[in-house]
């Protein structure tokens, strides 16, 4: 059998090996604490679950949704106005996504042709690069370097590359680096996009997971942003709806329109009970948002302070549900450290190399386990001696 050449861009690699080690340990009855995948484990608030269950109990809700309900679009418009002070036309500037991942995987198909150039961050959430590759695009990686606070240096993008680029993806608060970008970056980004006629996609999935009293807004709130781009947002982390797959594409009407056109040929819309849950989440009691943020901040402090006590200085993130940090100095590669860590302790983390060339030398830890599990992970690591270079 012969398969599509585009599949040569994708490999299972380290994730498959780590999962195999996890499976083997579990079969032997050994402990496993998985901090590799950003799978939120905080459930939705009761009123969201109630809305989902009541809608799911209605036999009439099992038809094809086909389109977003007008109530969902209006709710999203109101949410963006109240939360981000951004005005959106529900009819032309909002489109639901079956999770941000689906949108990120498909949107390039509506924007770029084979051979077009797309700018993506490095390191980056893998689908940022995978989506354009599926569309046959050529990638140019924009480094996110520690010495610059992991903020893309737009002025370092070569003029010939900028002239060729058709589409670029940016995301702050950032996965995996956890960095936030100052407002001036967005001002410069909008000017850069206008100068070179580039469509911008800003992924804003972590705008509510910002710690230490800081806040985060929307790219679209800045003057001119709506002229050049769109923003993706997600209910997965903030509202505990990861498995329900709810996201939104909002912003520039022509870009939203062409994505809607593509999706109308790919799926039959979001399951109606899930639309009801989404409406309940963004229009109902918002106290859960602060509660979720506080839980992740507490987990961050437990993990980072604990590893620092053990001699591994782990940088505290200012945002997201992740920790991004350099590997211990006595290891040479992130994959080597991640493999050794799971073999010796049962703690699974993601090697930075999985996020692109600039990720080498780092690991990402997801704050997706309970306080007790994180404290147990610290005990396992301490007992293993893995952080001691003489072991």
């Amino acid at each position: 059998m012969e398969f599509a050449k585009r599949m040569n861009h994708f490999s299972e690699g380290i994730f498959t090996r780590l999962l195999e080690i996890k499976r083997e340990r579990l079969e032997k009855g050994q402990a496993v604490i998985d901090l590799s995948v950003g799978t939120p484990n905080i459930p939705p608030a009761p009123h969201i679950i109630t809305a989902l269950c009541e809608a799911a109990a209605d036999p009439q809700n099992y038809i094809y949704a086909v389109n977003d309900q007008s109530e969902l679009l209006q709710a999203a418009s109101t949410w963006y106005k109240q939360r981000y002070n951004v005005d959106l036309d529900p009819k032309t500037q909002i489109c639901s996504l079956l999770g941000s991942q689906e949108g990120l995987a498909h949107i390039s198909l509506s924007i770029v042709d084979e051979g077009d150039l797309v700018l993506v961050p490095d390191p980056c959430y893998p689908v940022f690069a995978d989506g354009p590759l599926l569309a046959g695009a050529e990638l140019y990686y924009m480094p996110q370097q520690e010495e610059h606070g992991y903020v893309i240096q737009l002025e370092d993008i070569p003029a010939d590359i900028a002239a060729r680029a058709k589409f670029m993806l940016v995301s702050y608060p950032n996965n995996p680096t956890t960095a936030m970008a100052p407002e001036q970056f967005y001002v410069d980004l909008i000017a850069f996009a206008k100068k070179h006629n580039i469509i911008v996609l800003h992924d804003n999935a972590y705008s509510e997971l910002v710690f230490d009293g800081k806040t985060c807004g929307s790219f679209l709130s800045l003057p001119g942003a709506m002229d050049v781009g769109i923003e993706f947002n997600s209910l997965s982390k903030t509202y505990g709806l990861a498995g329900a797959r709810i996201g939104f594409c909002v912003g520039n009407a022509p870009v939203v329109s062409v994505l809607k056109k593509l999706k109308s040929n790919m799926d039959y819309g979001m399951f109606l009970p899930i639309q009801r849950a989404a409406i309940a989440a963004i229009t109902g009691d918002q106290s859960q948002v602060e509660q979720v943020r506080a839980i992740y901040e507490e987990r961050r402090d437990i993990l980072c302070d604990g590893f620092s006590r053990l001699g591994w200085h782990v940088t505290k993130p200012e945002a997201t549900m992740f920790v991004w940090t350099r590997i211990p100095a006595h290891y040479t590669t992130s994959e080597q450290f991640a493999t050794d860590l799971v073999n010796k302790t049962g703690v699974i983390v993601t090697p930075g190399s999985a996020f692109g060339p600039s990720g080498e030398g780092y690991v990402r830890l997801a704050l997706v386990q309970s306080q007790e599990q994180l404290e147990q992970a610290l005990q396992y690591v301490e007992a293993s001696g893995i952080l001691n270079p003489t072991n």
Side-chain angles (χ1 to χ4, degrees):
M1 294 181 182
E2 293 186 4
F3 300 100
K5 292 183 176 64
R6 69 176 61 90
M7 294 309 298
N8 295 332
H9 293 299
F10 308 101
S11 61
E12 295 173 327
I14 181 60
F15 291 103
T16 299
R17 291 193 291 277
L18 290 174
L19 287 173
E20 180 63 21
I21 294 172
K22 176 180 179 178
R23 183 188 63 78
E24 291 175 354
R25 289 184 64 90
L26 289 174
E27 288 179 350
K28 295 176 182 177
Q30 297 175 324
V32 172
I33 299 178
D34 194 344
L35 306 180
S36 63
V37 182
T39 305
N41 67 336
I42 303 171
H47 71 278
I48 301 174
I49 296 175
T50 297
L52 176 62
C53 291
E54 289 180 350
D58 185 348
Q60 296 185 27
N61 284 335
Y62 286 83
I63 60 173
Y64 290 130
V66 183
N67 297 311
D68 295 326
Q69 292 185 306
S70 59
E71 188 177 350
L72 175 67
L73 296 175
Q74 184 59 58
S77 176
T78 302
W79 174 49
Y80 250 74
K81 180 61 178 178
Q82 294 177 343
R83 172 60 181 86
Y84 302 107
N85 196 29
V86 172
D87 292 305
L88 296 168
D89 183 336
K91 295 180 180 179
T92 63
Q93 292 184 297
I94 304 174
C95 172
S96 75
L97 305 170
L98 304 181
S100 291
Q101 179 94 356
E102 175 265 320
L104 289 163
H106 292 146
I107 191 168
S108 291
L109 296 171
S110 69
I111 295 176
V112 302
D113 292 311
E114 191 165 344
D116 283 343
L117 186 66
V118 175
L119 308 179
V120 298
D122 174 32
C124 73
Y125 184 49
V127 77
F128 279 20
D130 293 346
L133 287 173
L134 280 171
E138 177 185 343
L139 302 185
Y140 178 84
Y141 286 101
M142 303 177 290
Q144 298 187 126
Q145 299 170 324
E146 187 174 357
E147 56 264 36
H148 297 302
Y150 300 108
V151 175
I152 296 166
Q153 304 297 291
L154 296 171
E155 65 273 16
D156 290 344
I157 299 173
D160 61 324
I161 293 295
R164 287 183 55 209
K166 189 173 183 181
F167 182 39
M168 67 188 298
L169 295 99
V170 177
S171 179
Y172 297 101
N174 185 258
N175 175 14
T177 71
T178 76
M180 294 176 65
E183 184 173 301
Q184 186 60 46
F185 168 78
Y186 292 107
V187 173
D188 296 340
L189 174 65
I190 293 165
F192 178 84
K194 287 187 174 183
K195 177 180 179 180
H196 299 289
N197 194 28
I198 301 172
I199 296 171
V200 176
L201 188 162
H202 181 254
D203 183 27
N204 203 23
Y206 297 97
S207 61
E208 297 294 2
L209 297 186
V210 180
F211 309 130
D212 304 317
K214 299 177 183 178
T215 59
C216 178
S218 165
F219 155 71
L220 295 176
S221 67
L222 277 77
M226 207 78 72
D227 299 330
V228 299
I230 56 171
E231 183 164 88
F232 278 11
N233 214 317
S234 169
L235 307 192
S236 293
K237 291 81 181 175
T238 308
Y239 297 99
L241 286 162
R245 313 308 303 132
I246 306 170
F248 293 98
C249 169
V250 302
N252 182 276
V255 179
V256 172
S257 175
V258 74
L259 179 59
K260 282 186 177 182
K261 183 178 180 180
L262 175 71
K263 283 176 61 63
S264 72
N265 289 277
M266 298 184 73
D267 63 63
Y268 284 108
M270 184 184 294
F271 186 38
L272 291 173
I274 292 179
Q275 292 196 41
R276 301 307 304 177
I279 294 167
I282 58 180
T283 64
D285 180 9
Q286 299 296 297
S287 61
Q288 182 190 21
V289 176
E290 177 57 37
Q291 293 167 5
V292 168
R293 182 186 302 118
I295 289 170
Y296 281 118
E297 186 168 348
E298 180 183 39
R299 292 177 180 181
R300 175 201 67 168
D301 292 344
I302 290 170
L303 200 65
C304 294
D305 292 343
F307 277 128
S308 293
R309 285 195 301 271
L310 298 181
W312 180 24
H313 176 67
V314 173
T315 306
K316 278 190 179 182
E318 55 184 342
T320 80
M321 55 188 291
F322 302 107
V323 172
W324 177 257
T325 193
R326 287 186 176 274
I327 61 176
H330 55 288
Y331 281 90
T332 56
T333 71
S334 56
E335 185 172 331
Q336 176 195 26
F337 173 64
T339 302
D340 211 17
L341 185 67
V342 66
N343 278 324
K344 293 185 177 181
T345 72
V347 177
I348 308 177
V349 301
T350 304
S353 55
F355 300 100
S358 294
E360 183 52 80
Y362 297 82
V363 288
R364 192 194 72 175
L365 301 84
L367 302 171
V368 294
Q369 302 295 343
S370 67
Q371 175 179 336
E372 293 73 22
Q373 283 285 88
L374 294 177
E375 290 172 343
Q376 187 69 68
L378 292 168
Q379 294 175 22
Y380 290 154
V381 171
E382 181 177 21
S384 73
I386 192 173
L387 300 180
N388 185 344
T390 61
N391 283 354

